Amino acid sequence: MAPTRLELNLMRLLSRCEALAAERRDPEEWRLEKYVAALEDMLRELKKQASKPAPELLNEYSRKVDFLKGLLEAEKLSSSTEKALANQLLAPGRTPTTAKERTPATKTVHLQTKARCTGQMRSELLGTVRPVLLLLYRLSCLCSAVGLTSDEKQSAVELDAVLQHHQDMQEKLAEEMLSLARSLKNNTLAAQNVIKQDNQTLSHSLRMADQNFEKLKDESDRLEQHAKKSVNWLLWIMLIVVCFIFISMILFIRIFPKLK
């Protein structure tokens, strides 16, 4: 069935939103949010139409609109860690929106956003160490210029060790956060695969149930027709027997007249 005008407009606007999401936008950019709100309205109208697309296509449209909506909500979060975790939970579309795309644009946007959030998270975790290292460098320069005592030099060395330990802890924490994000991604993908398999099993069961219902309906119709045919034959046999008895009585009366 050919797509309706509303579906064509939805596909064009969806492709435009995917292109905007792939670009680096200013914080004051408002077009994408308005476009996504318009996509939600158009999708609701499309679901109400009598000549609506197939359920699989509607689910794909809903999946892409929900992805764009979740992407906007994740960008509003203040912490880069929260942004990274929110982006890990997003589910991009499975099929391209237009025929020109080789891979779904939402999947490309998802990968770009995850890489950007991971870089921001790493920069925030490691950025707090740089001022401390700069302070340590200035302190060492000051100590060498002024000529501190041995005790003061020992204190500076201990401070250096403490700051180095602090830097190592920060790097270890960053690696653990990245490992946690990867683990969360793998668990999310595994859960999606399990849910996908369950949906396929449920769809197969529903198809089998529909087929069995159709077969049962056909057999019921055949049984009903067979029962009607049996009743009709019995009625004809009874009519033939009654007619035979009636004709026999008339012949009997004609052959054997009444005695006087």
Side-chain angles (χ1 to χ4, degrees):
M1 183 175 61
T4 60
R5 181 181 297 273
L6 180 60
E7 184 179 358
L8 291 175
N9 292 335
L10 186 142
M11 292 171 61
R12 294 191 186 100
L13 185 58
L14 183 59
S15 178
R16 177 58 179 163
C17 290
E18 291 171 350
L20 285 176
E23 299 173 356
R24 286 186 175 273
R25 302 182 307 280
D26 295 332
E28 298 179 356
E29 177 65 39
W30 54 269
R31 290 181 298 171
L32 183 59
E33 187 172 358
K34 297 295 183 181
Y35 289 169
V36 172
L39 279 176
E40 292 180 337
D41 296 337
M42 294 171 68
L43 186 60
R44 281 193 295 268
E45 292 295 329
L46 186 62
K47 291 180 179 179
K48 294 179 182 178
Q49 285 188 347
S51 58
K52 57 185 179 182
E56 294 81 5
L57 193 55
L58 281 176
N59 292 334
E60 183 66 17
Y61 289 152
S62 301
R63 186 184 182 91
K64 292 180 179 180
V65 173
D66 292 339
F67 170 78
L68 293 172
K69 185 177 178 182
L71 187 66
L72 290 174
E73 293 176 354
E75 290 179 352
K76 294 179 182 178
L77 298 175
S78 57
S79 173
S80 61
T81 305
E82 294 177 353
K83 291 181 180 180
L85 294 177
N87 277 282
Q88 290 289 342
L89 299 177
L90 295 178
R94 298 190 182 95
T95 59
T97 304
T98 60
K100 298 180 180 179
E101 299 176 4
R102 292 186 178 180
T103 58
T106 50
K107 186 173 293 186
T108 304
V109 173
H110 193 209
L111 294 175
Q112 293 176 352
T113 307
K114 285 195 297 184
R116 192 181 304 123
C117 292
T118 304
Q120 291 177 359
M121 185 173 62
R122 183 186 292 272
S123 299
E124 287 184 3
L125 290 174
L126 299 180
T128 55
V129 183
R130 294 177 182 175
V132 178
L133 294 177
L134 182 60
L135 178 62
L136 177 62
Y137 175 74
R138 291 178 179 176
L139 183 61
S140 62
C141 292
L142 182 62
C143 290
S144 60
V146 175
L148 298 177
T149 63
S150 60
D151 293 337
E152 291 175 343
K153 290 182 179 180
Q154 183 67 26
S155 300
V157 171
E158 292 178 356
L159 179 60
D160 188 8
V162 170
L163 292 177
Q164 183 65 33
H165 177 69
H166 179 69
Q167 180 184 3
D168 295 338
M169 291 295 293
Q170 289 285 346
E171 293 179 354
K172 184 178 179 181
L173 179 60
E175 294 297 332
E176 289 179 354
M177 289 296 295
L178 293 176
S179 177
L180 178 62
R182 295 190 190 98
S183 177
L184 181 61
K185 175 185 176 182
N186 294 331
N187 293 335
T188 304
L189 293 176
Q192 288 179 355
N193 292 331
V194 171
I195 294 173
K196 183 178 179 180
Q197 292 177 359
D198 292 342
N199 289 334
Q200 291 177 353
T201 304
L202 182 60
S203 300
H204 180 68
S205 300
L206 291 175
R207 286 196 298 270
M208 293 297 295
D210 293 337
Q211 292 177 2
N212 293 334
F213 178 76
E214 293 295 333
K215 290 181 180 179
L216 181 60
K217 184 178 179 181
D218 295 338
E219 294 297 329
S220 299
D221 294 339
R222 290 176 58 187
L223 182 60
E224 185 178 357
Q225 293 176 0
H226 183 69
K228 289 180 179 179
K229 289 180 180 179
S230 300
V231 173
N232 291 335
W233 280 108
L234 183 60
L235 181 61
W236 280 107
I237 291 173
M238 291 178 63
L239 287 174
I240 292 172
V241 171
V242 170
C243 293
F244 178 76
I245 294 173
F246 180 73
I247 294 172
S248 300
M249 290 296 297
I250 294 176
L251 292 175
F252 182 78
I253 293 172
R254 291 291 184 183
I255 296 172
F256 301 99
K258 185 178 180 182
L259 296 176
K260 296 181 179 180

